[in-house]
Amino acid sequence: MSMTPASPADPNQPGFLDTDDGVRLFYRDWGDGRPVVFLSSWSLNSDSWAYQMLALAERGCRCVAYDRRGHGRSSDPGRGFDFDRLADDLASLLDRLDLRGVTLVGHSMSCGEIIRYLSRHGGDRVSRAVLVGTVTPTLGRTDDDPDGIDPAVFEAFRSECLMRDFPKWLEDNIRPFLAADSSAGMMEWVKAMALQASMKALLDCHRATTSTDFRRELPGIVVPTLLVHGDLDVSSPLGITGRKTAALMPNATLTVYEGAPHGLFLTHMDRFNRDLLAFLDAR
């Protein structure tokens, strides 16, 4: 019996794109109309935005989301997890799909990727931005920012949790990320996404997220920006992130959800989807 060998996969087939440093990124592209590009948080992937993408695609938007390198279905190069390279990956997506008038929507770590993209590549393709549970302007305590978190806390997480028993840490921290009344199924779904990520990506991305200072970049971001933050966010405490970011950006509006955790796009899905659509429709 003879068998025809399978032809090699086209590196630029729909659903995948290659970056200029040889990394293959998975993306999904739903609907037609105004483009909205979603960036996921540390450890999660494009699946996490499914409920926003469905809602907006039904309302006439083109919704695109991709898996960060080392996350989900994207390749794991073991390198390139600094914000400059991650911003260049976003640029590769926008250029490849030739998206213009884009609304960028990020959560947690990816808010920094959006800021770095805008400061590094400019806003020609971007009409507005949405930052949910942002990690900007800076998380770690420094001499000129004593309100930040002690860097030793981050190092302890990396050495004692991430590099020893990440699944246990996920189990212990899924409720603070979501809510007490979140379903068991929702919690399992979020944990399963996180467990798909490369440990090298998680380690390097966490180091970048907790050490990068965006304070000099934020005043130069002039696109209309909506910041959405929960007052019960323990991952990115409102007082050192959302409030300070809004104060530094010239065209930003902060909306605080009372009783909302870090994962508010899931726990407060209906409200967030309404606010997102209203922001897209604003003139």
Side-chain angles (χ1 to χ4, degrees):
M1 181 183 295
S2 63
M3 297 181 65
T4 303
S7 59
D10 178 359
N12 290 313
Q13 65 180 290
F16 291 92
L17 65 91
D18 285 351
T19 66
D20 59 9
D21 68 338
V23 175
R24 200 177 199 206
L25 300 179
F26 169 83
Y27 70 93
R28 52 185 33 159
D29 188 349
W30 298 351
D32 298 292
R34 297 172 294 176
V36 184
V37 174
F38 293 88
L39 292 82
S40 55
S41 70
W42 176 82
S43 81
L44 301 187
N45 58 52
S46 57
D47 291 354
S48 63
W49 289 113
Y51 296 104
Q52 284 69 47
M53 293 180 68
L54 286 172
L56 269 61
E58 290 291 304
R59 296 290 294 272
C61 295
R62 179 182 179 183
C63 297
V64 178
Y66 68 101
D67 294 352
R68 181 187 297 108
R69 58 175 60 206
H71 290 65
R73 288 136 292 197
S74 292
S75 60
D76 177 17
R79 67 183 190 280
F81 299 112
D82 60 283
F83 279 100
D84 282 355
R85 179 63 254 184
L86 296 174
D88 293 348
D89 289 351
L90 173 57
S92 294
L93 177 84
L94 299 184
D95 293 346
R96 159 73 189 277
L97 299 181
D98 194 23
L99 298 176
R100 300 181 185 276
V102 175
T103 297
L104 296 175
V105 181
H107 174 239
S108 193
M109 176 187 175
S110 63
C111 298
E113 291 167 79
I114 290 173
I115 297 301
R116 183 58 53 85
Y117 169 83
L118 291 169
S119 64
R120 187 170 170 85
H121 294 275
D124 290 348
R125 292 185 178 273
V126 179
S127 64
R128 58 192 66 204
V130 180
L131 309 181
V132 184
T134 186
V135 297
T136 58
T138 181
L139 287 174
R141 182 185 304 160
T142 59
D143 291 342
D144 61 348
D145 186 15
D147 297 332
I149 299 168
D150 185 347
V153 173
F154 301 132
E155 184 55 43
F157 161 74
R158 289 190 288 265
S159 62
E160 300 301 322
C161 300
L162 179 60
M163 298 176 72
R164 286 178 180 267
D165 196 339
F166 183 53
K168 181 181 185 302
W169 181 87
L170 282 174
E171 188 67 36
D172 293 342
N173 288 274
I174 189 63
R175 284 198 183 278
F177 178 84
L178 294 172
D181 61 351
S182 295
S183 71
M186 181 66 78
M187 289 188 285
E188 290 301 318
W189 178 61
V190 172
K191 289 188 293 182
M193 273 187 279
L195 291 171
Q196 292 180 47
S198 155
M199 291 298 291
K200 178 62 170 172
L202 293 178
L203 181 64
D204 288 358
C205 285
H206 191 267
R207 283 183 175 138
T209 300
T210 57
S211 64
T212 304
D213 189 339
F214 294 94
R215 284 178 290 178
R216 292 185 179 181
E217 296 168 67
L218 291 170
I221 307 301
V222 297
V223 298
T225 301
L226 173 65
L227 290 115
V228 182
H229 219 103
D231 65 356
L232 296 184
D233 190 327
V234 297
S235 299
S236 299
L238 173 61
I240 67 171
T241 55
R243 292 200 189 281
K244 288 189 174 184
T245 297
L248 288 169
M249 298 182 73
N251 202 9
T253 301
L254 173 64
T255 298
V256 177
Y257 287 14
E258 293 184 2
H262 197 49
L264 65 81
F265 61 100
L266 296 173
T267 62
H268 292 63
M269 185 187 305
D270 292 339
R271 178 181 177 183
F272 177 64
N273 289 356
R274 288 194 302 268
D275 287 348
L276 188 52
L277 283 165
F279 183 63
L280 290 172
D281 289 337
R283 294 290 181 256

